[in-house]
Structures are given as C-alpha cells and as structure tokens.
Amino acid sequence: MATFTAIPEKTQSATAMKRVMDYVVQDKKTLFYDEQSKQSYKLISGQNCVAETAYEEFMATKHQFNKAKGVFFKQYVQSFKPDCGKAPQEIHAMGVNMAKAFEGYEVLIATHIDKDH
C-alpha cells in the first residue's frame, strides 16, 4: 500500500519552486534502465504541461493570470514499501493517475528510483 503525503512548503517564490522542480527531476533519481528493452527512461511526466519545460510553463501561466505572487506550488509525495512488487514504470503510471485528482492544473510528476521506497 502506498502513502500520499503533502510536503509543507514555507517558502513560496519562483526561486523556491524552481529549486524543488530541479531536485525532483534529477537524472540520478529518475533515470531508469529497463533490462528487457535495454533502454533508459526518465520517469518524469507532465499533466497540462511538458515535464522538461514545466517551470517555464508554470511561470507563463502565473503571469497570464496575474498570479505571480502568493502560492507558487504544492508538493506531494507518494511512497511505496520496498517489497510492493511493482516495477518503476508501474509506480510512475500510478503517479500520473494520481495527478488526475488535480484536473485543470499543471502538474510535474517525477518518480524517484534512487531509494527502495
């Protein structure tokens, strides 16, 4: 069973959002090598945005709607037990599915595989 936790973010600014986004998409955390296909995949996705350009898109949206102050982002973590029996791609698909709860919002989804959970 997975847990879903909101991470409290006291600092709400474009810089803080960029720092968190840069952290969550690091190659060392998200790059998955599939032995079967012999290919590497970066386990990042975007909802209503492109993962690789999410920061720029988030900021463009904030400026378009004059919301460049106040809350810049929210961060959530979905964690699994190490022995849950799911492959990283399956867990990433679950994260993409979970993001649908935030319909209408731009969401950056990143699955970390650098630790067992």
Side-chain angles (χ1 to χ4, degrees):
M1 171 176 267
T3 61
F4 187 75
T5 308
I7 305 296
E9 297 291 345
K10 293 177 186 168
T11 304
Q12 288 290 329
S13 67
T15 303
M17 181 174 71
K18 177 77 166 119
R19 186 176 59 245
V20 169
M21 293 172 81
D22 286 347
Y23 171 79
V24 301
V25 300
Q26 291 179 71
D27 283 349
K28 69 181 183 180
K29 295 183 173 300
T30 61
L31 200 58
F32 171 71
Y33 182 74
D34 183 10
E35 290 287 339
Q36 205 168 32
S37 69
K38 305 292 186 213
Q39 292 189 1
S40 292
Y41 302 95
K42 193 161 185 182
L43 297 173
I44 61 171
S45 298
Q47 174 177 286
N48 297 322
C49 65
V50 175
E52 291 79 6
T53 58
Y55 174 77
E56 290 80 9
E57 292 179 58
F58 287 12
M59 291 306 298
T61 301
K62 289 188 79 50
H63 288 293
Q64 179 181 356
F65 293 100
N66 296 316
K67 300 280 187 175
K69 294 184 180 181
V71 176
F72 274 76
F73 67 103
K74 296 197 182 246
Q75 182 181 8
Y76 300 92
V77 174
Q78 187 173 356
S79 297
F80 294 80
K81 289 186 177 183
D83 58 352
C84 73
K86 301 291 182 192
Q89 308 96 305
E90 292 175 283
I91 290 173
H92 186 72
M94 289 178 201
V96 170
N97 191 49
M98 177 64 77
K100 291 177 184 173
F102 303 97
E103 183 178 337
Y105 289 90
E106 296 166 324
V107 181
L108 174 62
I109 304 112
T111 300
H112 289 189
I113 58 171
D114 60 325
K115 297 190 177 165
D116 287 341
H117 60 282

